[in-house]
Amino acid sequence: MIGQDIQQMRLVNKLSQEALGSPQFSGAYVSRVENGLQEPSQRFLSHVATRLPYRNEQFYQLGYGHLMDSVMHLAQILHEMGKWEIAWSLASQSVDIAHQSGDPLIISWARGFQLMLHPDPDPRDVKHFWEMVRIVDWNQANAEAAVRFVKLLGKLPVHILSGGGSPASTRQSGSPLFVP
């Protein structure tokens, strides 16, 4: 899963596998990670963070950010109404929209939101979320996007914050999921 995200970010940013990996990793290594044949090392995830240009201002100027905000807001409302499957589907669409940014912070935010809506997320999805977070270069991150992400972390269930995937959510009912 993380490999697919890396591939999408690379393609959105118009980088070849060689350009993304250079100078520390080969294009073949990037290919293996993208195709799920190789677990990315922590060193590689940190490297990717330094190779991706952050374009979240352009993402919002093109309207994608506002679309993602609207989809997340609607997902939250549907979740509160007990329409969990529709809410989950919309949260998945927000991840797809986030991929258009090519920005690991925006993608991490959308993935975290998606995890909040699931009563018992798959541990692999939780692992994937934290791998995406490791790719974020906080020195390049947009302040508004970073604040949204930190607010999201405050709403995640404890078992997700600890990197686990099960027990039922410890989030208090009635607390808002959407972080505008």
Side-chain angles (χ1 to χ4, degrees):
M1 288 174 71
I2 187 68
Q4 293 170 339
D5 279 344
I6 290 170
Q7 180 181 43
Q8 287 181 317
M9 288 185 292
R10 178 180 62 77
L11 293 173
V12 165
N13 287 293
K14 297 180 172 85
L15 294 172
S16 67
Q17 290 174 331
E18 292 77 19
L20 179 62
S22 179
Q24 297 178 10
F25 298 90
S26 69
Y29 179 87
V30 174
S31 176
R32 288 191 307 274
V33 168
E34 288 181 352
N35 290 305
L37 302 174
Q38 168 107 32
E39 280 286 319
S41 67
Q42 178 60 45
R43 196 173 117 226
F44 177 71
L45 294 175
S46 296
H47 173 78
V48 168
T50 65
R51 302 293 296 156
L52 293 172
Y54 282 65
R55 307 171 0 190
N56 46 23
E57 287 83 11
Q58 181 182 11
F59 178 69
Y60 274 89
Q61 287 173 353
L62 294 174
Y64 289 114
H66 301 294
L67 176 61
M68 190 170 91
D69 291 345
S70 298
V71 169
M72 289 172 125
H73 186 67
L74 182 57
Q76 175 188 340
I77 291 168
L78 290 166
H79 185 268
E80 291 169 359
M81 292 172 55
K83 307 288 185 187
W84 297 292
E85 288 183 28
I86 299 170
W88 175 258
S89 175
L90 285 173
S92 297
Q93 289 179 14
S94 74
V95 172
D96 293 341
I97 296 166
H99 279 290
Q100 299 302 310
S101 72
D103 183 333
L105 178 55
I106 292 174
I107 296 167
S108 295
W109 176 45
R111 285 213 178 274
F113 179 79
Q114 184 182 36
L115 287 174
M116 281 193 318
L117 296 183
H118 201 286
D120 189 26
D122 186 316
R124 292 173 296 189
D125 293 334
V126 175
K127 179 182 180 226
H128 183 186
F129 167 72
W130 287 113
E131 287 173 334
M132 282 301 303
V133 171
R134 284 187 212 116
I135 293 175
V136 175
D137 181 348
W138 296 99
N139 293 320
Q140 293 187 56
N142 171 283
E144 180 183 344
V147 167
R148 287 175 179 222
F149 182 76
V150 169
K151 287 181 179 180
L152 169 93
L153 288 178
K155 306 238 183 270
L156 285 175
V158 172
H159 67 279
I160 292 176
L161 290 173
S162 65
S166 252
S169 171
T170 57
R171 183 177 43 80
Q172 295 179 0
S173 64
S175 63
L177 298 173
F178 178 69
V179 185

